[in-house]
């Protein structure tokens, strides 16, 4: 009888789409299924998702990818899950139904709450225990908002009738038919409720943010037993053996396993993450200390900078302005722009992330003249992600963390002109891997580690290969002028 080859299924639940990718143990992509879904904007600065749509798109893509892999002679042994982080859901434990739309990581509705907590002197305590800044980006204030704006929710939460989770927890609950209410250490570290040094939910922070402990999931290592997806859900039983938030998953996929190894992922946002070893680095420049991964009870930390809009800026050019018909057109259009146009786009559509953390900043397009056109705006849009990456690297350097090279992934990493511009302005080597599916591969690899297919994280180095390296170049004076112009544009966009 013909024996199918071993494979791993990665569920990659992102901000604008749900994807399922089946990988070989060597990291080869066997098949991909993807569904985009609607972004919900109830008010300016608010962003929501329909939880049922998230689940429906995940289930559909997972079944599609598994069927395609089976047809090609592969059989998945385990599931790895990676997800948009901080996005917050609360659901009924009895029915499994969400009580409100998911509040997305980009959402700024709790900015006033965060400002009040800062004014009351709580920022230092939050930062010391969680590694995070007091900002609506994180889950804690989102949870409290849902409990206070859905009739009866707070009382039901305190009675243990409701469950909170980031998207990973929601998917595990659905995949296992409500048997498992769990998360992993990386997602827990992004809630502003988790003490990253003690590796536990913090009772003082629960009191501060007014979040009942009965809501919270159990926190587990990134590789191990997260339950089993039922046959009725995916067509056959399949163990869930790996979970990590998307940026930590990408760092694992990019084998950033030693202190100083760094990656930047360009998806909806852009996220720069550098491994700092077995101790968190407390930033003095508004970067985030976070858990990179926890394996076999041992925690590795990272320093992270978070940009709220990268690929989302390109999506806005396509869907909001109609300047391009598809994202892939931007490279040629931007390349035709006048490089000395002086046009800057600050994409603060939902505020600015690190190192500014300005929830009330709003987007600005500055430096326009009659000679400015589609090409100049396209170049400014691409450059905005480059400049924001430079901002993060400069903040890291001020914290005493220097980068030697930058590994990149995500959809924008396919754009050669963007990566060369990134190398030129950052002044460091930029390396694209052979597969830009680092986020999904990281989840698949964790699943392989959790089910015994791999012996250790170091096995990931055996399958990572570079596709192309971009060496820094360009004129230093022009670089300085570009950076000065960017900072002036940011100053105009800030609140």
């Amino acid at each position: 009888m013909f024996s199918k080859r071993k494979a791993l299924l990665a569920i990659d639940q992102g901000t604008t789409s749900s994807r399922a990718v089946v990988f070989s143990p060597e990291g080869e992509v066997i098949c991909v299924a993807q569904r985009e879904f609607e972004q919900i904007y109830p008010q300016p600065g608010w962003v929501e998702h329909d939880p049922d749509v998230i689940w429906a798109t995940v289930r559909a893509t997972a079944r599609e990818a598994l069927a395609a892999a089976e047809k090609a002679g592969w059989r998945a042994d385990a599931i790895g899950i990676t997800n948009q982080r901080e996005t917050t859901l609360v659901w009924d434990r009895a029915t499994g139904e969400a009580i409100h739309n998911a509040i997305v990581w980009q959402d700024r509705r709790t900015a006033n709450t965060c400002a009040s907590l800062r004014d009351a002197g709580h920022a230092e305590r939050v930062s010391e225990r969680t590694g995070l800044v007091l900002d609506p980006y994180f889950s804690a204030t989102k949870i409290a908002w849902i409990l206070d704006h859905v009739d009866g929710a707070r009382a039901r939460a305190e009675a243990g009738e409701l469950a909170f989770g980031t998207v990973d927890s929601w998917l595990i609950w659905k995949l296992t038919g409500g048997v498992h209410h769990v998360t992993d250490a990386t997602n827990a570290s992004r809630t502003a409720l988790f003490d990253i040094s003690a590796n536990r939910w913090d009772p003082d922070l629960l009191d501060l943010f007014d979040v009942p402990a009965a809501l919270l999931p159990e926190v587990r290592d990134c590789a191990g037993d997260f339950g089993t997806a039922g046959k009725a859900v995916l067509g056959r039983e399949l163990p869930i053996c790996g979970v990590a938030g998307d940026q930590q998953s990408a760092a694992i996929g990019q084998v950033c396993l030693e202190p100083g190894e760094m990656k930047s992922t360009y998806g909806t946002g852009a996220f720069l993450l550098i491994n700092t070893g077995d101790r968190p680095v407390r930033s003095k420049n508004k970067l985030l200390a976070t858990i990179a991964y926890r394996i076999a009870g041992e925690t590795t930390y990272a320093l992270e900078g978070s940009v709220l809009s990268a690929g989302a800026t390109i999506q806005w050019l396509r869907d909001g302005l109609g300047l391009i018909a598809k994202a892939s057109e931007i490279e040629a259009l931007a390349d035709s722009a006048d490089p000395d146009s002086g046009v800057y786009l600050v994409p603060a559509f939902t505020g600015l992330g690190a190192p500014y953390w300005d929830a009330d900043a709003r987007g600005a397009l500055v430096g326009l003249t009659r000679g400015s056109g589609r090409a100049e705006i396209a170049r400014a849009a691409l450059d905005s992600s480059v400049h924001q990456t430079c901002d993060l690297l400069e903040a890291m350097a001020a914290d005493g963390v220097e980068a030697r090279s930058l590994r990149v992934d995500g959809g924008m990493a396919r754009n050669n002109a963007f990566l060369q511009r990134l190398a030129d302005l950052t002044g460091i080597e930029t390396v694209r891997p052979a597969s830009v599916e680092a986020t999904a591969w990281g989840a698949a690899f964790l699943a392989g580690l959790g089910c015994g297919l791999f012996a250790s994280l170091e096995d990931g180095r055996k399958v990572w290969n570079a596709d192309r390296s971009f060496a820094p170049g360009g004129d230093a004076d022009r670089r300085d002028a570009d950076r000065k112009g960017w900072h002036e544009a940011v100053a105009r966009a800030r609140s």
Side-chain angles (χ1 to χ4, degrees):
M1 181 178 176
F2 176 72
S3 177
K4 294 184 183 295
R5 291 166 287 180
K6 290 179 179 294
L8 297 160
L9 171 65
I11 292 173
D12 181 1
Q13 204 298 302
T15 309
T16 58
S17 71
S18 298
R19 306 169 71 249
V21 187
V22 177
F23 291 93
S24 74
E26 293 74 36
E28 174 194 358
V29 175
I30 296 164
C31 55
V32 181
Q34 181 169 356
R35 299 276 194 286
E36 290 192 1
F37 55 84
E38 181 185 6
Q39 310 294 295
I40 302 168
Y41 304 104
Q43 296 183 29
W46 293 27
V47 191
E48 296 180 358
H49 291 158
D50 184 331
D52 293 331
V53 171
I54 290 176
W55 168 236
T57 55
V58 165
R59 184 181 181 189
T61 53
R63 291 179 73 102
E64 180 182 334
L66 287 170
E70 292 264 355
K71 188 174 181 180
W74 299 83
R75 185 173 177 84
D77 280 2
I79 299 172
I81 295 174
T82 186
N83 56 285
Q84 51 168 313
R85 304 170 305 172
E86 300 96 15
T87 294
T88 298
L89 300 101
V90 177
W91 63 91
D92 187 311
R93 290 181 183 272
T95 67
E97 296 298 317
I99 67 169
H100 190 275
N101 276 345
I103 301 181
V104 178
W105 56 273
Q106 298 163 310
D107 188 281
R108 315 307 280 174
R109 74 186 65 189
T110 61
N112 289 339
T113 301
C114 292
S116 297
L117 289 169
R118 280 195 299 273
D119 291 344
H122 297 297
E124 185 174 348
R125 175 164 49 137
V126 171
S127 177
E128 178 62 28
R129 298 192 188 185
T130 70
L132 309 177
V133 297
L134 251 175
D135 191 85
Y137 180 32
F138 306 105
S139 306
T141 55
K142 294 175 168 69
I143 301 169
W145 190 95
I146 292 174
L147 297 185
D148 292 334
H149 288 80
V150 175
D151 287 345
R154 183 164 290 282
R156 294 184 65 208
E158 292 169 350
E161 297 175 11
L162 302 179
F164 150 73
T166 41
V167 171
D168 59 307
S169 294
W170 169 247
L171 295 180
I172 293 167
W173 180 279
K174 288 292 192 179
L175 287 164
T176 65
V179 174
H180 289 276
H181 182 211
V182 295
T183 188
D184 84 295
T186 68
N187 279 295
S189 76
R190 309 298 293 192
T191 60
L193 299 171
F194 194 73
D195 185 324
I196 62 172
S197 295
N199 263 285
R200 65 181 178 92
W201 298 117
D202 187 279
D204 291 341
L205 294 176
L206 294 178
D207 288 342
L208 176 66
F209 289 106
D210 203 12
V211 173
L215 276 173
L216 301 175
E218 176 190 345
V219 182
R220 298 185 177 178
D221 289 349
C222 298
D225 178 17
F226 288 88
T228 300
K231 182 177 180 180
V233 178
L234 295 183
R236 65 181 177 90
E237 291 191 347
L238 200 56
I240 306 164
C241 296
V243 178
D246 52 9
Q247 302 315 313
Q248 287 92 337
S249 185
I252 291 167
Q254 290 271 44
V255 288
C256 297
L257 308 178
E258 296 292 333
E261 293 182 324
M262 179 177 63
K263 69 87 198 176
S264 189
T265 299
Y266 297 92
T268 301
F271 303 88
L272 187 72
L273 188 148
I274 188 165
N275 186 312
T276 61
D278 60 4
R279 294 181 182 177
V281 171
R282 305 296 182 178
S283 175
K284 295 183 173 68
N285 295 279
K286 297 186 178 180
L287 301 177
L288 309 175
T290 195
I291 292 177
Y293 48 83
R294 195 176 82 190
I295 303 293
E298 297 293 324
T299 303
T300 296
Y301 296 92
L303 190 64
E304 180 180 318
S306 307
V307 169
L308 303 185
S309 185
T313 307
I314 311 308
Q315 189 178 47
W316 175 70
L317 293 189
R318 183 192 69 188
D319 301 338
L321 297 186
L323 291 188
I324 52 176
K326 51 187 179 180
S328 59
E329 295 175 2
I330 194 168
E331 182 171 7
L333 182 60
D335 194 49
S336 68
D338 176 4
D340 297 314
S341 69
V343 175
Y344 293 89
L345 171 61
V346 183
F349 304 116
T350 55
L352 287 169
Y356 307 102
W357 295 113
D358 187 344
D360 295 319
R362 285 297 175 262
L365 183 61
V366 302
L368 295 174
T369 68
R370 281 298 301 271
S372 306
R374 294 170 60 244
E376 284 68 35
I377 294 173
R379 181 183 171 92
L382 280 180
D383 272 4
S384 69
S385 293
V386 175
H387 282 295
Q388 289 176 103
T389 302
C390 289
D391 291 343
L392 300 180
L393 287 168
E394 289 164 5
M396 284 187 177
D399 279 330
V401 179
E402 294 285 353
R404 297 184 296 272
S405 68
L406 177 63
R407 296 176 182 178
V408 295
D409 57 87
M412 291 175 69
R414 296 183 175 91
N415 186 323
N416 291 332
F418 168 70
L419 296 186
Q420 186 59 60
R421 181 77 165 144
L422 188 62
D424 291 346
L425 277 189
T426 61
I428 60 175
E429 179 188 34
T430 299
V431 182
R432 179 172 60 202
S435 171
V436 294
E437 293 283 6
T439 303
W441 169 242
F445 183 83
L446 286 172
L449 187 62
C451 74
L453 193 58
F454 303 119
S456 74
L457 283 173
E458 286 296 325
D459 284 350
R461 295 195 189 277
K462 300 174 184 177
V463 300
W464 188 92
N465 294 291
D467 167 54
R468 181 172 171 183
S469 177
F470 297 80
D475 179 80
D477 289 340
R478 172 171 282 183
R479 177 189 184 279
D480 291 344
D482 277 344
R483 294 294 292 147
K484 180 181 178 183
W486 166 256
H487 288 134
E488 290 172 351
V490 169
R492 296 188 188 193
R494 296 199 63 180
S495 60

